[in-house]
Amino acid sequence: MSQLTEQPAEGPVPTSADVARLAGVSRATVSYVLNNNTAVRISDPTRRRVREAATELGYVPHAAARSLRAGHSRMVLLPTAHLPSTPLHHRFLHGLESGLRRLDYTVVQYGSIGLDPDDAARAWAELRPVAVIAPGSVPLAPQGIAVLRRSGAKAVITLGPQPVPGAHALITDQREVGASAVRHLLERGRHRIGVVMPAEAGPALFAGPRLAGARRAAAAGRARVEELPLHYTEESAAALAARWSTLGLDAVFAYDDAYAMLLMRALQDAGIQVPEDTAVVGADDSMLGRLLRPRLSSVRMELATVQPLADLVDRLVRHPGTEPERHDLLRARTVHRESS
Amino acid sequence: MSQLTEQPAEGPVPTSADVARLAGVSRATVSYVLNNNTAVRISDPTRRRVREAATELGYVPHAAARSLRAGHSRMVLLPTAHLPSTPLHHRFLHGLESGLRRLDYTVVQYGSIGLDPDDAARAWAELRPVAVIAPGSVPLAPQGIAVLRRSGAKAVITLGPQPVPGAHALITDQREVGASAVRHLLERGRHRIGVVMPAEAGPALFAGPRLAGARRAAAAGRARVEELPLHYTEESAAALAARWSTLGLDAVFAYDDAYAMLLMRALQDAGIQVPEDTAVVGADDSMLGRLLRPRLSSVRMELATVQPLADLVDRLVRHPGTEPERHDLLRARTVHRESS
């Protein structure tokens, strides 16, 4: 066990001045060594002496103090999802985080549930990030963007279905998800298409754009689209299934695989044959959908690879005057299985 | 639209000195007003003047500078999950976050995937948090805890299945999940019990303790437990189902509802009757399990309510000398449906 653990934890917090004193060097030298600044020539023995002194004292650099001295921060604020994250979203965020870390940024996430967008922007600004990647669930207004820019953020980037004026936009265009599902159903000969609209607040963020995409694709194919509000409960699904025959639909795009599974079970329990009477398409292409009988057709989504995105964030930080850029991240295509 | 958006975003970052000058007050008064310090008497017109000046300049306080001046921070670092979060975990973290925010803490999350625990501790320490709630997936060692304490963290708290010496522990004792499932199966007259062990890295963190709990409950009931490694793929499930009859099992606890659904589908496809030949129990009590036929029995987990936990964190911060405390958060009970 290191001697660190034998030091009293309640003593004063060691500073870079303490490290400099113990190593017999200047504070500037301590800073150069511990921040891996290679622009300054420092001998290997001196570097070693500084590192040993830091270890002995249990000193780690203070990110915020360093930012204050340097006049700029290396902190990137990432959104915290409002929802339990999907595997796709989770992989994406953690990939972006790793990519930014490789570029020597400190990435922190900040939960903003229950804050209005302007309050969220102020709370984020208090942390003085050099870049903010704001989630679509916190729709920044121009005022929030201005607060962030005034607090020193070099890049304000939104991640979501819609761009926001004055910010860079990483677009996950959910319309393509609905459009892909409907185009698939048209190819399968279906023309009276229900679109499930989740009543829950989280999914509602994506449901509107997915419906818009479904409508656009349906219009192009002279098909009819009907909105089907649905709570994520067995009762709501059973109620919808009970009036299914009155709706005159031959297909349904069910928002995602979870809602599709809920509705397909209710339809089957009500004696409606899938896909003979009604074709069903989900989205997410999850393992669970493949386990259903019939196996669920589903829209597969892919997000852009992340290292280029981390490089993009870095470029926008280094060129803060760049005109707002827009990058489309989402690709969608429907995987045909047995339910459609 | 506010005049904020018409100011050049590239000007110098406004400081509290600018606000003080515009409002005609001292910097200390600006600080008292904007930090809602009620210990100091300041007239309402002065408060209003300060707020208006801050709005006009687009000034927000600098959390880190305030911490540096005050000599302590109000930042609480929360874990970022390694896995797509379950709804239970998600509700818990966001509840804790809101509770801490009500107590005027700034809560940030820090992703630590791919960092070893000592590196993670140093990265966290650079942010100078007043408290850290470290995830079980980053098993802090005493050295990491010492680094955090030396950097000024008043409370180092772990959240996971196991306590770590020297830190406060919020325990989610996964053994109880396995024990509850096996006790239920014993009550249903089953005595040869398979326990699914996910091959994936994320679930493996919980699988060991769940197995240990299953073993303990089985030993008490003179039942036999057999480990069943399983990848989250249809191929792996089909291979396990193909050799099922050679295993001599009459029940299986399948780690969680997703693995249970995967295995149950493979067993049914292989002609094994559930629950007649083999009873199946999952965990998470998810909606999806209720949609299966037969409906899936499942271990329901509940976590402690969060405002008392936020108060606990606050108490540990205010009394940093407190001996390491241990609090059990997880309750588990099995909900009986048709699959067992």
Side-chain angles (χ1 to χ4, degrees):
Chain A
M1 190 168 293
S2 137
Q3 67 186 103
L4 273 179
T5 55
E6 287 151 31
Q7 295 183 355
E10 297 313 317
V13 176
T15 65
S16 64
D18 299 327
V19 177
R21 206 172 301 119
L22 184 60
V25 300
S26 70
R27 275 186 72 181
T29 302
V30 171
S31 169
Y32 293 141
V33 172
L34 296 183
N35 294 317
N36 295 311
N37 186 329
T38 52
V40 181
R41 288 186 66 145
I42 297 169
S43 72
D44 284 348
T46 300
R47 287 186 185 272
R48 198 160 47 238
R49 212 159 65 238
V50 169
R51 290 189 204 286
E52 284 169 1
T55 302
E56 185 171 336
L57 294 171
Y59 170 78
V60 288
H62 187 321
R66 188 169 56 200
S67 300
L68 286 171
R69 278 198 307 275
H72 60 82
S73 100
R74 297 291 291 175
M75 182 191 290
V76 176
L77 267 184
L78 267 189
T80 303
H82 273 214
L83 296 171
S85 58
T86 63
L88 177 75
H89 190 239
H90 185 84
R91 274 198 312 275
F92 173 77
L93 279 188
H94 281 288
L96 184 55
E97 199 169 295
S98 305
L100 288 167
R101 203 187 291 144
R102 271 194 292 275
L103 296 171
D104 200 32
Y105 290 97
T106 298
V107 180
V108 303
Q109 299 187 22
Y110 190 94
S112 309
I113 292 186
L115 293 181
D116 89 23
D118 285 343
D119 289 343
R122 267 190 295 277
W124 297 341
E126 289 201 10
L127 295 168
R128 295 292 191 273
V130 71
V132 174
I133 304 175
S137 50
V138 182
L140 278 181
Q143 175 150 351
I145 294 169
V147 165
L148 286 164
R149 299 297 302 252
R150 298 289 297 168
S151 77
K154 306 286 188 200
V156 180
I157 302 164
T158 60
L159 172 65
Q162 301 289 342
V164 171
H168 303 292
L170 302 178
I171 299 288
T172 53
D173 187 352
Q174 298 288 329
R175 287 175 303 185
E176 192 44 40
V177 178
S180 173
V182 166
R183 282 195 302 266
H184 167 78
L185 290 167
L186 293 171
E187 282 165 19
R188 307 294 302 162
R190 310 292 168 132
H191 288 87
R192 303 187 307 280
I193 301 170
V195 174
V196 166
M197 299 295 289
E200 286 68 29
L205 181 69
F206 291 166
R210 287 185 187 183
L211 174 66
R215 282 198 192 289
R216 191 181 53 189
R222 298 173 179 277
R224 168 163 83 79
V225 157
E226 170 135 2
E227 289 182 49
L228 304 172
L230 181 64
H231 285 270
Y232 193 60
T233 65
E234 289 181 86
E235 294 69 28
S236 180
L240 179 56
R243 62 187 184 90
W244 198 257
S245 61
T246 68
L247 294 170
L249 301 173
D250 58 16
V252 60
F253 166 55
Y255 177 70
D256 72 5
D257 287 355
Y259 284 87
M261 182 171 174
L262 175 67
L263 180 58
M264 193 161 100
R265 167 56 63 199
L267 292 175
Q268 290 175 319
D269 287 351
I272 292 148
Q273 301 288 314
V274 177
E276 294 78 2
D277 301 334
T278 299
V280 179
V281 175
D284 283 342
D285 189 29
S286 65
M287 163 76 84
L288 297 183
R290 273 168 268 165
L291 301 174
L292 302 184
R293 296 297 180 266
R295 292 176 177 81
L296 185 65
S297 298
S298 186
V299 182
R300 175 180 293 176
M301 289 170 267
E302 275 159 20
L303 288 169
T305 50
V306 290
Q307 191 61 51
L309 276 181
D311 294 337
L312 170 69
V313 173
D314 184 50
R315 176 170 63 75
L316 295 175
V317 164
R318 285 185 290 104
H319 303 284
T322 310
E323 284 293 300
E325 293 189 4
R326 177 192 165 115
H327 298 269
D328 275 283
L329 303 192
L330 190 71
R331 298 282 170 276
R333 67 185 179 83
T334 301
V335 180
H336 179 212
R337 296 203 179 85
E338 300 161 358
S339 68
S340 64
Chain B
M1 191 168 291
S2 139
Q3 67 185 105
L4 273 180
T5 54
E6 289 150 30
Q7 295 182 356
E10 298 311 319
V13 176
T15 66
S16 65
D18 300 326
V19 177
R21 204 172 304 119
L22 184 60
V25 302
S26 70
R27 276 186 71 183
T29 300
V30 171
S31 167
Y32 293 142
V33 171
L34 296 182
N35 295 315
N36 295 310
N37 186 329
T38 52
V40 181
R41 288 186 67 146
I42 297 171
S43 72
D44 284 348
T46 301
R47 285 186 187 273
R48 198 157 47 236
R49 213 160 64 239
V50 169
R51 287 189 206 287
E52 283 169 1
T55 302
E56 185 171 338
L57 294 172
Y59 170 78
V60 288
H62 187 320
R66 189 168 57 200
S67 299
L68 285 170
R69 279 199 305 277
H72 60 81
S73 98
R74 297 292 291 175
M75 181 191 290
V76 177
L77 266 185
L78 267 189
T80 303
H82 273 215
L83 296 172
S85 58
T86 64
L88 177 75
H89 190 239
H90 186 83
R91 274 199 312 275
F92 173 77
L93 279 188
H94 281 289
L96 184 56
E97 200 168 294
S98 305
L100 288 167
R101 203 186 292 144
R102 271 194 292 275
L103 296 171
D104 200 31
Y105 289 96
T106 298
V107 181
V108 304
Q109 299 187 23
Y110 190 93
S112 309
I113 292 185
L115 294 180
D116 90 22
D118 285 343
D119 288 344
R122 268 190 295 275
W124 298 340
E126 289 200 10
L127 295 168
R128 295 293 191 274
V130 72
V132 174
I133 305 175
S137 50
V138 182
L140 278 182
Q143 174 151 350
I145 295 169
V147 164
L148 286 164
R149 299 298 302 252
R150 297 288 297 168
S151 78
K154 306 286 188 199
V156 180
I157 302 165
T158 60
L159 171 65
Q162 301 287 342
V164 171
H168 304 291
L170 302 178
I171 299 289
T172 52
D173 187 351
Q174 297 287 330
R175 289 176 301 186
E176 192 43 41
V177 178
S180 173
V182 166
R183 282 194 303 266
H184 167 78
L185 290 167
L186 293 171
E187 282 165 17
R188 307 292 304 162
R190 310 292 169 130
H191 288 87
R192 304 186 308 280
I193 301 169
V195 174
V196 166
M197 299 295 289
E200 286 69 29
L205 181 69
F206 291 167
R210 288 184 187 184
L211 173 66
R215 281 199 192 288
R216 190 181 54 190
R222 300 173 179 276
R224 168 163 84 78
V225 157
E226 171 134 0
E227 288 181 51
L228 303 173
L230 182 64
H231 285 271
Y232 193 61
T233 65
E234 291 181 85
E235 295 69 28
S236 180
L240 178 55
R243 63 187 183 92
W244 198 257
S245 61
T246 69
L247 295 169
L249 302 173
D250 59 16
V252 59
F253 166 56
Y255 177 70
D256 73 5
D257 287 356
Y259 285 87
M261 182 170 173
L262 176 67
L263 180 57
M264 195 160 100
R265 167 58 60 197
L267 292 176
Q268 290 175 319
D269 286 352
I272 292 148
Q273 301 287 315
V274 177
E276 294 77 1
D277 301 333
T278 298
V280 178
V281 175
D284 283 341
D285 190 30
S286 64
M287 162 77 84
L288 297 183
R290 272 168 270 166
L291 301 174
L292 303 183
R293 298 294 181 269
R295 291 175 176 84
L296 186 65
S297 299
S298 186
V299 181
R300 175 181 294 177
M301 289 170 266
E302 275 159 19
L303 288 169
T305 49
V306 290
Q307 192 60 52
L309 277 181
D311 294 338
L312 170 70
V313 173
D314 184 51
R315 177 170 62 75
L316 296 174
V317 164
R318 285 185 290 103
H319 303 284
T322 310
E323 283 293 302
E325 293 189 3
R326 179 193 163 114
H327 298 268
D328 276 282
L329 303 192
L330 189 72
R331 299 282 171 274
R333 68 185 179 82
T334 301
V335 179
H336 179 212
R337 296 202 180 85
E338 300 162 356
S339 69
S340 64

